[in-house]
Amino acid sequence: MAENKKNLLFIINNLNCGGAEKALVSLLQTIDYSKYAVDLFVFKHEGVFFENLPKEVHILREQKIVPYLYSSTTSALLKAVKNFNFKAIWLRLHLYLLSKKHQSGVAVEQYFWKYYVKGLSPLDKEYDIAVGFQEKNPIYFCVDKVKAKTKIGWIHTDLEKLQLDFQHEQYYFEQLDHIVTVSEGLTERLQLQQPQFKLKIVTIENVISSKVLKDLSKEPIEFDFESGFFNIVFVGRIAHEKGLFMGLEALKILVEQGYAVRWYLIGEGNQKENLLLEAQRYGIASHLFFLGLKSNPYAYISKASAFLLPSFYEGKSISLEEAKLLHKPIVITDFSSAKDQIVDGVTGLIAAMNAESIAEKLALFINDSTLREIVTIQLKNTTFGTENEVTKFYQLLEDV
């Protein structure tokens, strides 16, 4: 039967603790390996989720050029010169110049691809289905470097909020057979932005198993949250777009109002040091805790008092869906897809995009145990796993 399996390839940047990475691992844990032989191409072989990959997944080797592009400019150039790797020197200099020209990392990634692609080898194997499981580089690689009967691009965020150059993306969208987004709201917005691709765009929600999540949530954690505090958890990248400085200012407001409150951040990112410096400046460093990456953040969410996601924008936040499945009191900001995930006052609270409103919503939960209980009951009655979403994915593969 093995020879009748369809060959399937997934492409992603890394397997760090992010929403797209978590969504891919969940999907890979659900796929029927009696029907599909699955390869995985990861640009940079790093991330806590490697240990969660099913044994059936075949991980392709990291390409030789990659280490030169994921380290500091100085160390990369020194290594390239030492190894007489002139292609790496050429690529690294272009990356440096683009990073000086553009403030946005999104723009740098878009415009660097025409150079990056020259340093990457095409994959030899021909696939039935290839999936660029993240916007930008994974989709570009899927189109430019992979032979496949069907090519799929998977979008996890609001591309307009990313401030993408859509003219650059159009070539790649044209080459794809299907464009998947993770929520109906994202599908509607992308269809409005790119109406010429309307028929290609479909919705497949992130696959989340409520049983697996709840089993993992019962595992012990490294410490106990202090019962005298209202303990808030965030899970995601420690990055600007997650609105963490706004959340930190809300924490300051609550502390100044006399609330015994602590905020625990699970994840890694480039804003950790700046957040810590800001917390010290506010005089609230003892109320802020960085827990780093956790392959099982669910045990922390389940034992916390509440979940906070103060993002400026999201696609469909997988960590928020997980907090809902764990029936946590939730506060989020009013990003574009917020109302796709939370019914304000019923399954959580939606704050305006400012620190004062975030603090006000958190205070409502702190002060009102009945409100916390009502939200918990509503989540228990209305929130379920999305294991069946994999059948929508299978439908895309039927005609291949």
Side-chain angles (χ1 to χ4, degrees):
M1 289 295 289
E3 63 272 16
N4 295 324
K5 290 183 180 181
K6 288 182 178 178
N7 289 306
L8 180 55
L9 171 72
F10 288 94
I11 304 149
I12 197 162
N13 287 316
N14 55 59
L15 287 178
N16 286 326
C17 194
E21 297 83 358
K22 193 182 293 184
L24 176 58
V25 171
S26 295
L27 178 59
L28 291 174
Q29 289 171 340
T30 312
I31 280 177
D32 183 351
Y33 290 97
S34 69
K35 296 180 180 178
Y36 300 98
V38 176
D39 286 356
L40 175 62
F41 179 89
V42 185
F43 278 90
K44 178 65 174 168
H45 281 208
E46 64 179 14
V48 294
F49 288 135
F50 269 99
E51 65 189 58
N52 300 115
L53 290 172
K55 65 181 188 316
E56 294 90 349
V57 174
H58 175 234
I59 303 168
L60 302 181
R61 64 174 176 82
E62 182 181 281
Q63 297 215 3
K64 292 179 181 178
I65 200 68
V66 167
Y68 295 99
L69 301 175
Y70 290 83
S71 56
S72 71
T73 302
T74 303
S75 63
L77 286 173
L78 286 172
K79 183 179 178 183
V81 169
K82 182 180 178 182
N83 295 333
F84 299 101
N85 191 328
F86 299 109
K87 184 175 284 186
I89 295 169
W90 180 78
L91 282 172
R92 194 66 213 214
L93 287 173
H94 278 290
L95 181 58
Y96 174 77
L97 292 171
L98 281 170
S99 66
K100 292 297 179 186
K101 182 178 179 180
H102 299 282
Q103 291 289 318
S104 164
V106 171
V108 172
E109 187 174 342
Q110 280 193 291
Y111 302 139
F112 181 59
W113 180 254
K114 68 179 180 180
Y115 306 107
Y116 193 1
V117 70
K118 299 179 192 304
L120 294 165
S121 302
L123 301 187
D124 296 328
K125 185 174 177 179
E126 184 167 354
Y127 293 90
D128 295 300
I129 307 103
V131 182
F133 201 77
Q134 225 165 354
E135 47 279 351
K136 305 188 295 299
N137 282 353
I139 290 177
Y140 306 157
F141 187 89
C142 182
V143 169
D144 289 339
K145 292 294 183 177
V146 177
K147 291 175 287 186
K149 296 173 186 173
T150 294
K151 295 187 176 183
I152 299 172
W154 214 288
I155 308 295
H156 295 265
T157 193
D158 189 331
L159 297 184
E160 191 171 34
K161 297 290 185 183
L162 279 183
Q163 298 183 318
L164 276 184
D165 177 349
F166 275 105
Q167 191 172 354
H168 178 276
E169 296 303 287
Q170 281 179 358
Y171 167 78
Y172 291 96
F173 283 3
E174 285 168 2
Q175 308 307 310
L176 296 170
D177 297 287
H178 305 286
I179 301 167
V180 174
T181 82
V182 296
S183 77
E184 292 293 347
L186 277 183
T187 291
E188 290 168 10
R189 285 189 286 281
L190 191 56
Q191 287 174 337
L192 284 172
Q193 292 155 3
Q194 301 291 300
Q196 68 273 38
F197 303 121
K198 185 174 182 178
L199 296 179
K200 288 186 179 183
I201 303 170
V202 297
T203 304
I204 300 177
E205 294 188 14
N206 292 320
V207 175
I208 309 171
S209 168
S210 57
K211 182 183 184 306
V212 169
L213 210 67
K214 286 168 185 174
D215 287 346
L216 287 169
S217 74
K218 295 170 186 173
E219 291 187 358
I221 59 177
E222 295 167 1
F223 62 92
D224 292 323
F225 290 118
E226 286 195 35
S227 59
F229 287 85
F230 192 82
N231 298 296
I232 305 163
V233 166
F234 161 87
V235 179
R237 290 187 309 281
I238 312 300
H240 170 75
E241 63 269 19
K242 296 299 181 181
L244 298 174
F245 289 93
M246 194 162 52
L248 187 66
E249 189 179 345
L251 182 68
K252 171 179 174 282
I253 292 169
L254 291 171
V255 172
E256 288 176 346
Q257 290 174 348
Y259 290 104
V261 60
R262 288 176 171 175
W263 194 18
Y264 295 83
L265 307 184
I266 296 175
E268 289 290 353
N270 59 12
Q271 293 301 310
K272 180 178 175 180
E273 186 176 334
N274 291 334
L275 277 165
L276 184 56
L277 287 171
E278 190 79 340
Q280 290 168 345
R281 189 173 74 82
Y282 285 156
I284 58 168
S286 62
H287 296 262
L288 180 70
F289 298 84
F290 294 94
L291 302 184
L293 294 171
K294 300 290 180 188
S295 59
N296 178 14
Y298 322 115
Y300 293 84
I301 297 172
S302 69
K303 295 169 180 64
S305 310
F307 180 88
L308 172 63
L309 184 65
S311 296
F312 292 117
Y313 59 87
E314 290 283 345
K316 185 164 188 179
S317 168
I318 193 167
S319 64
L320 174 53
E321 288 302 306
E322 289 164 347
K324 286 165 63 179
L325 279 169
L326 295 172
H327 313 138
K328 278 291 115 180
I330 292 164
V331 173
I332 63 172
T333 41
D334 195 12
F335 45 81
S336 58
S337 59
K339 293 179 179 67
D340 297 341
Q341 292 189 264
I342 289 291
V343 179
D344 189 27
V346 179
T347 55
L349 299 176
I350 300 177
M353 200 66 72
N354 61 71
E356 293 77 14
S357 181
I358 296 169
E360 178 187 337
K361 300 297 184 181
L362 286 168
L364 284 175
F365 274 139
I366 296 170
N367 292 328
D368 193 342
S369 60
T370 302
L371 176 61
R372 297 198 302 270
E373 188 177 344
I374 288 170
V375 167
T376 297
I377 291 168
Q378 289 291 337
L379 287 169
K380 284 179 180 176
N381 292 335
T382 60
T383 307
F384 309 99
T386 55
E387 295 93 333
N388 290 335
E389 288 295 297
V390 75
T391 60
K392 296 181 185 178
F393 179 54
Y394 291 152
Q395 287 169 9
L396 296 184
L397 314 183
E398 279 183 0
D399 299 328
V400 181

